[in-house]
Amino acid sequence: MGIKAALPKAELYLYTAVLCLALLWAGSWIIEASSENVNRRAFRESVQPGWHYFGRKMDVSDFEWVMWFSTFRNHILFALSGHVIFAKICSMLSPRHRSLMYMIYGSIAVLVTMGWTYMSLILAHCIIIYSMALVKRKSMCFLAGLTSLATFKMEPFMSWQAGFVTGSFDLQDVLFYGGCGFSIMRCMSFALENCEKKDGNYTFMDLLKYNFYLPFFFFGPIMTFDQFHVQANNPDLTRKEREMWNITIQALVHLGAILVVDVFFHFLYILTIPSDMKLVKQLSDWSLAGLAYSNLVYDWVKAAVMFGVINTVSRLDHLDPPQPPKCITMLYVFAETHFDRGINDWLCKYVYDYIGGNHDGIIMELLATICTFAVTTLWLGPCEIVYIWSFFNCFGLNFELWVAKLFSFPPFSTIEGAMSEAMSRRIRGLFNAVNFWQIILYNVLALNSLQFAKLVAKRLLVQGFPMSTLSVLFVTYCGVQLVKERERKLALLEEPAPSEEPDKEKKD
């Protein structure tokens, strides 16, 4: 059945009311748990003094957020501001050579920040993968790239290479592994695109321009080489109508998101509570469901803000970077589940779509997903929790295809064909609600812990059955139908206008 199937407005109003009340109810439980347990011994390290004038402490258990937006905020702003000013001057003086100027500024910034040994290490890996690119064999490019990536993700090579970088400051480890990992993925993109180039090869300077673009260097997102090369070397720097206004609005939205997260961290200790299993076991089923859901929402917000700030800078450089990840609230299929759209685009282009083709064949789809999650596992760093996460998400992606294939055959297809479109949408919404919670459970184990994910699953599926299970699924169903309604409206807006009817024949 089509995506444009509509439901009665009264039904949608009911879904909205149920969802809002459920979120408020679950939120009140989490606020209560946060306030009553703020002085627990297990909270001492992760809940620190915050707003003294309101008497609130702040959840600081996410070191990345605290590091970016407090400890190293000024350093990051200084580096990005310098890039914006330098890029604007270069764009005005020599728009044809701006990519070279970006590379020079980025190389100097990396050299000053990390030292010449780090720069030499990055260049060594670039040279190795560039050499493989000249052979124009994709298999050799993949082998060289994945081997290089493994040296930064697996011991003892990881510690051995890190030992080359002298000096010591708090951000060094994050910058080291972030810059190295993203550099290898960019080098692989360059090598694979060079294999596709029919006439000649891209130059080593093209690779350096691509890799040392400072906004993307340490933290991504990854923009595939073919897109970056075209956009960064485009001398036409005219902007679309209202483009600067949209960039300004985007920057203000990200600033607002940072402030909202800061407010939430003073009232909802959603990251600290799951680490205290004694407290978690005392919470209600609704609190656990709310915690699991809010953890994924926060991780999306963090990714959207971090990539969004960098993307705002790149848009000022006349680039069109990967979009922020799709909010977990809007997801009910595994095929759209990702928290880094740049990595997702990279994997889809070079692995998933390359092997899976049109994704209709079960065997090829299984092979494509296995290869995709194998590369993802290496990218994240092989360990037990990553293995479990990869296995379940790989299974979920394939299970969707298996179910879709099954229901495309009689008698299921015949039964659905006899239904109204609205009823078909309701039934599909039930399956999507179950799928939504699979996505939550499969991903929360990577964000918190395996123990927390197992406890949530046990409480919602076993101990809480049937009341907690059915009530949470009903609320999720309401949310899924509201998301489907939004998708329906977007589909109608994107529908081309009907062509004018041909002129009627003139009467004699």
Side-chain angles (χ1 to χ4, degrees):
M1 294 294 177
I3 194 177
K4 299 174 186 176
L7 295 179
K9 288 187 176 180
E11 185 176 345
L12 294 173
Y13 292 150
L14 173 63
Y15 294 156
T16 303
V18 170
L19 182 63
C20 292
L21 290 174
L23 290 176
L24 291 173
W25 178 255
S28 67
W29 278 94
I30 299 175
I31 292 176
E32 182 179 350
S34 301
S35 300
E36 292 181 352
N37 298 279
V38 65
N39 294 318
R40 287 177 66 91
R41 182 178 300 178
F43 282 24
R44 288 179 182 176
E45 293 184 1
S46 54
V47 178
Q48 301 292 333
W51 293 340
H52 300 285
Y53 34 88
F54 283 114
R56 301 295 306 185
K57 292 185 176 181
M58 180 180 178
D59 190 340
V60 296
S61 55
D62 187 344
F63 81 97
E64 280 187 316
W65 185 272
V66 174
M67 182 169 55
W68 302 147
F69 299 109
S70 60
T71 310
F72 296 103
R73 175 186 56 205
N74 296 333
H75 302 282
I76 295 172
L77 288 177
F78 177 78
L80 292 180
S81 299
H83 171 85
V84 170
I85 296 172
F86 184 81
K88 184 62 177 178
I89 295 173
C90 293
S91 299
M92 294 172 61
L93 297 178
S94 181
R96 291 183 178 276
H97 300 94
R98 60 193 180 99
S99 60
L100 177 62
M101 299 297 110
Y102 297 163
M103 183 207 73
I104 293 174
Y105 180 86
S107 300
I108 294 174
V110 173
L111 181 63
V112 171
T113 304
M114 300 296 292
W116 69 268
T117 52
Y118 178 80
M119 180 68 79
S120 301
L121 183 63
I122 293 293
L123 289 175
H125 283 276
C126 289
I127 292 172
I128 292 172
I129 299 179
Y130 177 75
S131 301
M132 293 297 103
L134 297 179
V135 181
K136 290 201 171 187
R137 295 284 298 274
K138 288 187 176 181
S139 58
M140 296 184 66
C141 293
F142 258 110
L143 179 62
L146 295 179
T147 302
S148 292
L149 184 62
T151 62
F152 292 109
K153 299 295 182 177
M154 301 175 67
E155 294 290 359
F157 309 104
M158 186 167 61
S159 299
W160 176 67
Q161 291 189 100
F164 286 116
V165 180
T166 57
S168 156
F169 58 99
D170 292 338
L171 197 59
Q172 179 171 299
D173 287 345
V174 177
L175 293 180
F176 178 87
Y177 292 111
C180 292
F182 281 108
S183 290
I184 299 303
M185 299 297 276
R186 283 189 289 265
C187 288
M188 290 180 68
S189 176
F190 171 87
L192 294 171
E193 292 298 332
N194 191 69
C195 293
E196 296 290 337
K197 186 175 174 62
K198 302 300 181 183
D199 50 336
N201 299 285
Y202 293 108
T203 66
F204 186 65
M205 184 61 68
D206 290 329
L207 174 57
L208 296 182
K209 292 176 184 178
Y210 173 48
N211 189 55
F212 286 99
Y213 177 67
L214 184 62
F216 295 165
F217 182 82
F218 286 113
F219 310 120
I222 290 179
M223 189 176 180
T224 55
F225 175 75
D226 56 331
Q227 295 180 348
F228 180 88
H229 184 69
V230 171
Q231 296 176 23
N233 291 285
N234 182 13
D236 182 12
L237 302 182
T238 56
R239 294 194 181 275
K240 300 178 182 178
E241 185 179 358
R242 297 178 62 84
E243 184 176 354
M244 282 304 300
W245 171 258
N246 293 333
I247 292 175
T248 303
I249 294 298
Q250 183 188 53
L252 293 176
V253 167
H254 293 139
L255 178 60
I258 294 172
L259 296 176
V260 169
V261 170
D262 198 55
V263 171
F264 281 175
F265 276 174
H266 284 83
F267 293 91
L268 301 170
Y269 302 151
I270 58 174
L271 303 180
T272 295
I273 291 176
S275 63
D276 187 352
M277 293 305 296
K278 291 183 179 180
L279 173 60
V280 169
K281 292 178 181 178
Q282 301 172 10
L283 300 179
S284 66
D285 296 342
W286 274 97
S287 297
L288 287 178
L291 276 174
Y293 167 75
S294 58
N295 267 258
L296 263 72
V297 171
Y298 163 70
D299 197 66
W300 167 80
V301 171
K302 182 175 71 171
V305 169
M306 292 175 65
F307 290 136
V309 171
I310 295 173
N311 286 355
T312 301
V313 175
S314 65
R315 284 192 171 90
L316 292 174
D317 294 336
H318 299 269
L319 299 181
D320 185 18
Q323 296 297 312
K326 193 172 182 179
C327 181
I328 187 66
T329 305
M330 302 294 178
L331 296 177
Y332 50 82
V333 291
F334 278 90
E336 298 181 359
T337 306
H338 52 264
F339 292 90
D340 184 339
R341 197 182 294 267
I343 291 291
N344 182 75
D345 292 345
W346 191 101
L347 290 169
C348 286
K349 181 172 186 178
Y350 300 123
V351 183
Y352 185 57
D353 292 338
Y354 181 76
I355 299 175
N358 58 7
H359 304 291
D360 286 336
I362 292 179
I363 301 300
M364 293 307 297
E365 177 72 1
L366 179 62
L367 179 61
T369 52
I370 291 175
C371 292
T372 300
F373 279 100
V375 176
T376 305
T377 300
L378 181 60
W379 163 252
L380 295 175
C383 62
E384 181 184 7
I385 197 69
V386 173
Y387 294 146
I388 297 173
W389 175 86
S390 295
F391 171 80
F392 279 112
N393 279 274
C394 183
F395 168 78
L397 194 59
N398 283 278
F399 187 70
E400 283 181 346
L401 177 63
W402 300 338
V403 172
K405 285 286 187 182
L406 177 63
F407 278 81
S408 66
F409 296 116
F412 303 107
S413 60
T414 306
I415 295 173
E416 186 178 18
M419 296 179 184
S420 65
E421 290 192 348
M423 182 56 66
S424 174
R425 171 175 162 176
R426 295 186 184 99
I427 294 176
R428 286 173 177 262
L430 292 174
F431 287 97
N432 294 146
V434 175
N435 213 35
F436 181 88
W437 271 100
Q438 287 188 81
I439 295 173
I440 295 289
L441 293 175
Y442 292 169
N443 287 278
V444 78
L445 63 88
L447 298 178
N448 291 110
S449 65
L450 181 59
Q451 291 76 15
F452 177 70
K454 289 169 61 177
L455 179 63
V456 174
K458 183 178 179 181
R459 291 280 290 276
L460 292 183
L461 300 178
V462 181
Q463 295 180 352
F465 187 84
M467 289 302 298
S468 296
T469 306
L470 296 180
S471 58
V472 169
L473 283 179
F474 176 66
V475 171
T476 307
Y477 167 81
C478 294
V480 168
Q481 290 295 1
L482 294 177
V483 174
K484 284 179 174 288
E485 182 64 18
R486 180 178 180 272
E487 293 174 347
R488 185 185 74 86
K489 292 180 178 179
L490 291 176
L492 291 175
L493 290 175
E494 295 173 358
E495 186 179 50
S499 58
E500 297 181 0
E501 295 182 0
D503 295 336
K504 295 182 179 180
E505 295 181 2
K506 295 182 180 179
K507 295 182 179 180
D508 293 337

